């Protein structure tokens, strides 16, 4: 089975990844008002009438009666209310949809940003979760919300859309374009069918101009066509279907080290622009590429860089021959047109090597081939004598081949008496195959000729001469020479393929190592240093990575360390950032720089630039390194973009957590401060009318409660700010437990506190104040959870490497899975009257204080009697052993 007949393994893997997932269909429009929601609801109704289980997850009708009428026929999943700054916002209820698990769910406005506090920040992430659960989704999207087109849309609308959807969401989605002419959309807008009249008038003067709508419409149609074309190619590759499937033009430009290649690239660019087609500049690496001079390599690198600047994808493909490589690449890319140049070479050159153009025309049937004339080969090449050593190999190769022929001759003389003369000729196949496989075709041919002559001279009568008396022996010599030639050809071809495979394996291994190094980076600084180190190692160059700033590019990593760059280098780096193109030595801009700067570019723009240089002041990147460099730049850009997005996501989560804590704090303060204050005010009013000790005791108790609450708030602020001032000293755990029990006797009324701590428990080195606060909060927590009139136990036990100090109650215990969650700030779990009393701070303070002292705290359940058990673990390093310390059982 050939590669063309074999299904693509990558396509199979991508198809396997989609198994079990739901299917996503996106109704894509050029602008609001084209009827995306109407079309989605209509298709949903048809599916429901066909027997499919369809529900509405979320649909925005914007008050349109026609849309509301379509929604009325569907089952609607009620939205989930999210409190945001005192206002209730309705968001899609993912949990309810997952529990309902319909076959199809309708989700409007895919690019919508969810309210803070939702499970996912973006609605498309909600859709991803539904798809992972095997639920099909219909959704709507406007073209300006596609991430890769954000800058393009902003360039002519002067409006930058903040809500975007990654292009990857659209890659596996079925896309239906909902389209109406711009004039009809403007008429709908004027009739108030899109916005209310005041907003419609303002929109007509800005976003909804006819020129903007026409451009957006073209973008939507073109993007949908590209997505369909990509999905079609994925299908034909996974099923190994033959043909180019030329529903869309795809252009391949074949480039070489010849100067005419630059003209080919420009011609390919003009053709791609005329056809609105993607195009690729490809260089086919053969064994002949190894003999290129430094000037040839520089010319090829310039050509590939030019193609990249003009918007082409670039590739370098190893192959046994140019024709085979081009044919294979064109078949894999499903190219419809090939642009190639024809150089004027001597007739004898084409007789020996053939014409690439003629062979392509004969062997490719379904691809249009554009042939551009080139300059004469002789005028460009150096004299043949200069390149002969590289083409014919080293003299040592021929010496080794001759020596091996001599060895086989000696061996044949020894075996002549034991074997037939005809079998002696087979010995000479050994040096032929060895020379061809090791040194190349020409050395193999030399070994074949030397073998024929040696066989004739030493073995065929009359021996010692090159004459042959028996005509049968002439046939033997010719057969031996023919076998030697054919064997040399096959062995040389195998060696060439092995060399190409080895080169490809080295590059793949380098990329895999580079990817592992980037994945292992813990933070952005480590990532940038890893990028510089690996690029420098793989390309044997000095490397530097700069990030943009208000004061110009700033060096963030370099190998070897480099913190100073000249003005021309900084200017080249800034130009590369501003124009998203290479600058510096070896490029077309600011070539006086000693460094070559390549932009690290993603869909979010240029993140930075990577600079390369060599000690010998040569070209920073050789032509054979260009494909590897492009792959390294792509991986580095993706890794840097991922790290920045992770940092941004972390900051966003921290901001969300602060908002959540702030909301929880306000909610807690509004309840837990008001309750004791109300009691104190009421008791004070009663005392004014009728003073009594009972009222005074009530005021004192509530004031203590209020003071404890305020203290917890202050303690929590100290924990989160890392401002705890710890003073460790020798502490007796029995005294600490007794003191905590004494201070909580009022709040624990009705519960007996038992201190079960042996006198043999040694002293520990902790902060007694912080430990006192920990025990108070644990006892207060136990008092709220414990069943009435049940004891609370403070117990200490010595283990081999720690002392375990536990507070045990007899209450409902902790539900499985909440053992760690109980220590989160402002977390209140159901059970007892916890939801009514308590701020959710006590256990968080215990955890913060314990960790500040070097202790650990964990929650669990006590089996007999049943209840919660909170244990503070004091490690061996904090235990003060007595002088006569004995082993404690």
């Amino acid at each position: 089975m050939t590669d063309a007949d074999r299904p693509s393994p990558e396509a199979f893997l991508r198809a396997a990844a989609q198994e079990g997932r739901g299917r996503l269909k996106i109704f894509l429009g050029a602008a609001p008002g084209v009827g995306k929601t109407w079309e989605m609801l209509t298709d949903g109704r048809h599916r429901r009438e066909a027997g499919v289980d369809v529900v509405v997850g979320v649909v925005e009708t914007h008050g349109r009666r026609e849309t509301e009428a379509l929604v009325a026929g569907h089952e609607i999943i009620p939205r989930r209310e999210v409190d945001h700054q005192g206002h209730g916002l309705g968001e899609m209820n993912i949990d309810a949809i997952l529990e309902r698990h319909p076959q199809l769910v309708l989700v409007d406005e895919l690019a919508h940003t969810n309210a803070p506090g939702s499970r996912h920040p973006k609605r498309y992430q909600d859709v991803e979760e539904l798809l992972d659960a095997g639920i099909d989704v219909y959704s709507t999207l406007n073209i300006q919300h596609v991430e890769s087109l954000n800058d393009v849309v902003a360039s002519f609308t002067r409006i930058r859309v903040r809500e975007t959807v990654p292009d990857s969401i659209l890659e596996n989605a079925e896309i239906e374009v909902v389209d109406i002419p711009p004039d009809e959309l403007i008429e709908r807008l004027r009739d108030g069918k899109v916005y209310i009249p005041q907003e419609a008038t303002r929109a007509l003067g800005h976003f909804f101009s006819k020129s903007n709508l026409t451009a957006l419409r073209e973008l939507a149609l073109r993007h949908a066509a590209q997505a369909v074309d990509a999905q079609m190619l994925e299908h034909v590759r996974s099923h190994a279907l033959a043909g180019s499937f030329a529903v869309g033009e795809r252009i391949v430009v074949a480039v070489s080290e010849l100067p005419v290649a630059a003209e080919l690239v420009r011609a390919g660019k003009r053709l791609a622009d005329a056809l609105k087609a993607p195009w690729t500049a490809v260089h086919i690496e053969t064994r002949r590429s190894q003999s290129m001079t430094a000037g040839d390599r520089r010319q090829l690198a310039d050509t590939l860089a030019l193609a990249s600047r003009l918007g082409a994808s670039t590739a370098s493909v190893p192959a046994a021959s140019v024709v085979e490589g081009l044919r294979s690449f064109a078949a894999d890319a499903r190219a419809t047109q090939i642009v190639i140049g024809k150089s004027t070479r001597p007739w004898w050159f084409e007789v020996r090597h053939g014409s690439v153009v003629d062979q392509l025309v004969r062997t490719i049937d379904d691809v249009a081939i554009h042939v551009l004339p080139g300059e004469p080969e002789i005028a460009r090449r150096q004299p043949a004598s200069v390149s002969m050593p590289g083409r014919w190999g080293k003299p040592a190769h021929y010496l080794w081949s001759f020596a091996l022929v001599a060895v086989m001759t000696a061996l044949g003389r020894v075996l002549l008496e034991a074997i037939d003369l005809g079998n002696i000729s087979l010995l000479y196949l050994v040096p032929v195959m060895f020379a061809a496989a090791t040194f190349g075709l020409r050395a193999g041919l030399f070994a074949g000729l030397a073998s024929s002559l040696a066989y004739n001279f030493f073995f065929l009568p009359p021996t010692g001469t090159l004459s042959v008396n028996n005509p049968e022996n002439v046939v033997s010599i010719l057969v031996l020479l023919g076998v030697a030639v054919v064997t040399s050809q096959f062995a040389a071809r195998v060696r060439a393929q092995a060399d190409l495979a080895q080169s490809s394996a080295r590059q793949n291994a380098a990329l895999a190592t580079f990817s592992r190094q980037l994945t292992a980076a813990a933070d952005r600084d480590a990532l940038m240093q890893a990028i510089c180190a690996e690029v420098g190692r793989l390309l044997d160059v000095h490397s530097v990575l700069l990030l943009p700033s208000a004061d110009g590019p700033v060096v963030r990593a370099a190998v070897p360390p480099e913190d100073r760059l000249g003005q021309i280098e900084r200017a080249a780096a800034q130009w590369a950032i501003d124009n998203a193109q290479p600058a510096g030595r070896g490029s077309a801009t600011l070539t006086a720089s000693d460094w070559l700067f390549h932009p690290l570019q993603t869909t979010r723009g240029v993140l930075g630039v990577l600079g390369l240089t060599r000690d010998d002041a040569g070209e920073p990147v050789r032509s054979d390194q260009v494909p590897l460099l492009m792959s390294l730049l792509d991986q580095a850009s993706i890794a840097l973009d991922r790290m920045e997005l992770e940092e941004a996501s972390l900051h966003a989560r921290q901001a969300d957590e602060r908002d959540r804590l702030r909301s929880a704090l306000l909610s807690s303060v509004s309840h837990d401060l008001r309750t004791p204050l109300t009691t104190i005010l009421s008791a004070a009013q009663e005392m004014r009318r009728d003073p009594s000790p009972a009222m005074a005791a009530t005021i004192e108790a509530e004031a203590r409660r209020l003071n404890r609450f305020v203290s917890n708030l202050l303690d929590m602020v100290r924990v989160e700010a890392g401002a705890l001032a710890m003073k460790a000293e020798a502490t007796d755990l029995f005294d600490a437990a007794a003191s905590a029990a004494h201070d909580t006797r009022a709040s624990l009324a009705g519960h007996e506190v038992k201190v079960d701590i042996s006198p043999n428990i040694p002293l520990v080195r902790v902060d007694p104040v912080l430990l006192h606060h920990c025990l108070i909060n644990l006892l207060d927590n136990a008092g709220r959870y414990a069943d009435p009139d049940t004891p609370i136990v403070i117990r200490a036990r010595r283990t081999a490497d720690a002392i375990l100090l536990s507070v045990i109650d007899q209450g409902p215990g902790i539900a499985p899975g909440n053992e760690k969650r109980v220590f989160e700030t402002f977390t209140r779990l159901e059970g007892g009257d916890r939801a009514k009393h308590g701020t959710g701070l006590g256990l968080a303070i215990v955890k913060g204080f314990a960790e500040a002292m070097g202790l650990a705290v964990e929650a669990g359940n006590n089996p007999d009697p049943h209840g919660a058990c909170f244990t503070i673990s004091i490690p061996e390093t904090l235990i003060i052993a007595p002088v006569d310390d004995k082993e404690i059982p």
Side-chain angles (χ1 to χ4, degrees):
M1 181 180 290
T2 64
D3 289 343
D5 300 327
R6 182 170 60 91
S8 169
E10 293 80 6
F12 266 135
L13 290 175
R14 287 189 288 268
Q18 298 300 316
E19 287 294 328
R21 279 174 54 90
R23 292 180 298 173
L24 173 62
K25 181 176 182 179
I26 295 178
F27 294 84
L28 183 67
V34 298
K36 302 181 299 300
T37 305
W38 172 279
E39 193 69 24
M40 178 184 71
L41 291 171
T42 302
D43 272 24
R45 184 188 64 188
H46 293 160
R47 294 290 303 277
R48 179 168 52 84
E49 292 173 352
V52 177
D53 183 14
V54 182
V55 301
V56 171
V58 58
V59 168
E60 306 293 347
T61 63
H62 299 289
R64 302 168 189 156
R65 291 190 298 272
E66 301 88 348
T67 307
E68 291 174 350
L70 283 176
V71 174
H74 291 282
E75 177 186 349
I76 303 174
I77 302 296
R79 300 192 189 189
R80 181 175 60 89
E81 289 292 326
V82 178
D83 180 64
H84 179 59
Q85 297 181 352
H87 299 283
L89 301 179
E91 295 291 354
M92 184 171 65
N93 195 334
I94 308 177
D95 293 325
I97 296 175
L98 292 174
E99 184 178 356
R100 171 67 171 75
H101 206 281
Q103 293 177 274
L104 173 64
V105 59
L106 310 182
V107 181
D108 206 5
E109 297 185 2
L110 185 63
H112 171 76
T113 299
N114 293 329
S118 301
R119 181 183 305 177
H120 302 296
K122 296 289 186 178
R123 182 169 289 170
Y124 72 80
Q125 295 171 320
D126 297 339
V127 169
E128 283 286 294
E129 185 173 347
L130 296 177
L131 295 174
D132 290 337
I135 301 174
D136 294 344
V137 177
Y138 281 2
S139 191
T140 62
L141 184 71
N142 289 324
I143 192 62
Q144 64 265 30
H145 295 290
V146 178
E147 176 65 39
S148 62
L149 300 178
N150 190 257
D151 294 335
V152 178
V153 173
S155 66
F156 60 82
T157 63
R158 302 295 186 270
I159 298 174
R160 181 171 294 277
V161 177
R162 300 300 177 186
E163 295 180 324
T164 58
V165 171
D167 291 57
S168 58
I169 300 297
L170 282 72
E171 290 178 357
N172 298 313
E174 177 186 350
I175 296 178
E176 178 176 328
V177 179
V178 182
D179 180 51
I180 62 174
D183 290 334
E184 184 176 340
L185 179 56
I186 292 174
E187 190 65 29
R188 284 172 52 84
L189 193 68
R190 287 174 177 160
D191 293 342
K193 296 180 179 180
V194 180
Y195 296 126
I196 60 177
Q198 295 83 354
E199 294 181 353
T201 303
R202 184 168 59 254
L204 284 170
H206 296 84
F207 187 83
F208 282 82
S209 64
K210 185 173 182 179
S211 59
N212 285 351
L213 293 177
T214 303
L216 290 170
R217 186 187 189 197
E218 181 181 359
L219 275 179
L221 294 173
R222 185 182 301 173
H223 195 79
Q226 291 173 350
V228 172
D229 186 61
Q231 293 171 4
M232 181 269 297
L233 289 179
E234 186 79 3
H235 175 76
V236 299
R237 285 170 180 162
S238 62
H239 291 78
L241 302 179
S244 61
F245 288 83
V247 293
E249 299 292 341
R250 293 175 288 277
I251 301 170
V252 171
V253 180
V255 300
S256 66
E257 73 278 10
L258 301 177
V260 72
E263 299 179 15
L264 296 178
V265 168
R266 297 186 183 95
K269 168 65 174 174
R270 293 192 297 269
L271 182 62
D273 287 345
L275 298 176
K276 307 292 185 184
W279 62 297
T280 303
V282 60
H283 168 62
I284 307 300
E285 296 181 21
T286 62
R287 293 199 63 192
R288 182 171 174 269
S289 302
Q290 300 174 1
S291 63
M292 288 194 302
T293 64
D296 292 337
R297 296 183 185 278
R298 184 164 51 251
Q299 180 66 49
L300 178 59
D302 292 342
T303 302
L304 291 175
L306 173 64
S308 181
R309 290 198 301 272
L310 294 179
S313 301
T314 58
S316 184
V317 179
S321 67
V322 173
V323 174
E324 181 181 333
L326 268 179
R327 187 168 61 240
S328 175
F329 184 82
D332 184 64
R334 307 288 169 166
T336 60
Q337 305 196 37
I338 296 177
V339 179
I340 191 171
K342 181 175 177 61
S343 298
T344 305
R345 293 189 173 99
W347 63 270
W348 52 265
F349 186 91
E350 293 196 0
V351 170
R352 288 175 54 198
H353 302 284
S355 170
V356 172
V357 173
D358 293 342
Q359 293 181 52
L360 277 179
V361 172
R362 287 196 303 269
T363 57
I364 298 182
D365 298 328
D366 55 351
V367 178
I369 300 177
H370 301 262
V371 182
L372 274 66
E375 58 186 19
E377 176 78 0
I378 296 178
R380 187 195 68 83
R381 287 286 182 186
Q382 298 177 351
S385 59
V386 176
S387 57
M388 283 294 289
R391 295 168 55 189
W392 288 95
K394 299 178 180 180
H397 297 170
Y398 297 95
L399 291 176
W400 277 105
S401 301
F402 183 80
L404 193 55
V405 171
V407 170
M408 291 298 105
T409 302
L411 181 61
R413 297 295 296 179
V414 173
L415 299 176
L416 183 59
E417 300 298 332
I419 61 176
D420 295 335
L421 181 62
N423 294 330
I424 296 294
S425 62
L426 299 179
L427 296 176
Y428 287 103
L429 294 180
V430 175
V432 172
M433 296 181 64
F434 174 81
T438 307
F439 305 129
L441 176 61
R442 289 178 175 84
L445 293 177
F446 171 79
L449 180 60
S451 298
S452 299
L453 294 176
Y455 180 64
N456 183 15
F457 188 83
F458 290 102
F459 296 100
L460 296 181
T463 59
T465 67
L466 295 178
S467 61
V468 181
N469 291 337
N470 190 345
E472 294 181 0
N473 294 334
V474 175
V475 176
S476 298
I477 294 175
L478 293 178
V479 170
L480 175 61
L481 185 60
V483 170
V485 170
V486 173
T487 304
S488 298
Q489 291 278 6
F490 281 125
R493 181 173 298 179
V494 170
R495 179 175 181 248
Q497 293 176 348
D499 290 343
L500 293 173
Q502 186 178 10
S503 174
S504 178
R506 282 197 302 268
Q507 179 167 330
N508 291 336
L511 292 175
T513 302
F514 185 67
S515 178
R516 287 196 299 270
Q517 293 293 334
L518 299 191
T519 304
D523 52 42
R524 189 159 62 155
D525 290 336
L527 173 64
M528 292 185 290
Q529 192 66 26
I531 291 173
C532 289
E534 287 300 304
V535 170
R537 182 182 66 84
L538 295 174
L539 302 180
D540 191 22
V541 295
H542 293 181
S543 58
V544 61
L545 196 150
L546 299 91
L547 297 184
S549 70
D551 299 327
V554 178
V555 176
R556 294 297 301 273
V559 175
E562 175 73 51
D563 58 355
R564 291 186 179 181
L565 294 176
Q567 287 297 113
I568 186 66
E569 282 74 22
R570 292 190 176 276
Q574 186 63 54
W575 193 92
I577 292 173
D578 295 338
N579 297 274
Q581 295 181 8
R585 181 183 294 275
S587 70
T589 304
L590 298 172
T591 56
S593 170
D594 292 334
W595 291 76
L596 171 63
F597 294 96
H598 278 275
L600 299 175
Q601 188 174 9
T602 65
T603 55
R604 298 194 299 125
V606 177
L607 305 180
V609 290
L610 183 67
L612 309 173
T613 190
R614 291 185 184 274
D615 286 331
D616 56 6
E619 292 294 332
V621 182
R622 301 192 307 270
S623 62
D624 58 327
Q625 294 177 329
V626 170
L628 176 59
L629 174 62
M630 294 298 107
S631 298
L632 295 177
L633 290 174
D634 289 341
Q635 287 198 25
S637 301
I638 293 173
L640 194 59
D641 189 39
R642 173 183 57 81
M643 188 64 73
E644 290 193 357
L645 290 176
E646 287 180 357
E647 291 180 356
S649 177
L650 176 61
H651 293 158
R653 287 197 301 270
Q654 290 175 345
D656 291 342
E657 181 65 14
R658 286 194 297 270
D659 291 341
R660 186 185 71 83
L661 292 178
R662 186 180 298 109
S663 299
L665 176 60
L666 293 176
S667 174
S668 180
V669 167
S670 64
H671 177 272
D672 292 289
L673 282 181
R674 184 181 297 116
T675 300
L677 285 176
T678 302
T679 304
I680 291 172
L681 290 174
S682 299
Q685 292 173 357
E686 288 293 330
M687 283 189 67
R688 180 177 297 175
R689 291 192 297 266
D690 183 17
S692 67
M695 290 294 102
T698 300
I699 293 176
E700 181 182 3
E702 292 299 322
R704 289 181 181 277
R705 177 182 170 190
L706 185 60
N707 180 67
R708 186 166 59 251
F709 175 70
V710 173
S711 297
N712 280 342
L713 288 177
L714 295 177
D715 288 340
M716 197 67 244
V717 171
R718 292 165 61 200
V719 169
E720 294 186 346
L724 290 176
M726 192 180 67
K727 296 180 180 180
E729 59 185 61
T731 304
D732 186 292
L733 293 181
F734 184 88
D735 292 343
S739 176
H742 178 271
D743 288 350
T744 56
R745 63 187 185 282
S747 60
L748 297 181
H751 297 281
E752 178 187 1
V753 178
K754 296 181 178 180
V755 179
D756 181 12
I757 299 179
S758 170
N760 294 328
I761 294 294
L763 303 180
V764 294
R765 188 172 298 279
V766 296
D767 187 318
V769 177
L770 297 184
L771 181 62
H772 184 73
H773 278 286
C774 291
L775 292 174
I776 285 178
N777 280 289
L778 289 178
L779 290 171
D780 182 67
N781 177 79
R784 287 196 302 273
Y785 273 111
D787 295 335
D789 301 325
T790 58
I792 297 174
V793 179
I794 305 177
R795 178 180 298 160
R797 289 291 181 266
R798 178 78 184 270
T799 64
D801 56 356
I803 293 178
L804 304 181
L805 180 63
S806 304
V807 176
I808 306 169
D809 65 61
Q810 297 181 24
I814 301 173
N818 289 326
E819 290 84 356
K820 294 183 178 180
R821 187 165 168 254
V822 293
F823 293 107
E824 295 178 0
T825 309
F826 295 113
T827 298
R828 299 181 182 182
L829 303 180
E830 295 297 329
D833 58 355
R834 174 77 174 208
K836 299 180 181 179
H837 303 289
T839 62
L841 288 175
L843 295 180
I845 291 172
V846 171
K847 185 174 185 294
F849 283 5
E851 291 178 349
M853 292 185 289
L855 315 179
V857 61
E858 60 181 17
N861 288 317
N862 193 48
D864 187 23
H866 186 270
C869 177
F870 292 87
T871 301
I872 298 176
S873 178
I874 305 173
E876 183 71 28
T877 55
L878 299 180
I879 299 175
I880 304 175
V883 176
D884 56 344
D885 187 19
K886 298 180 180 179
E887 183 178 355
I888 298 176

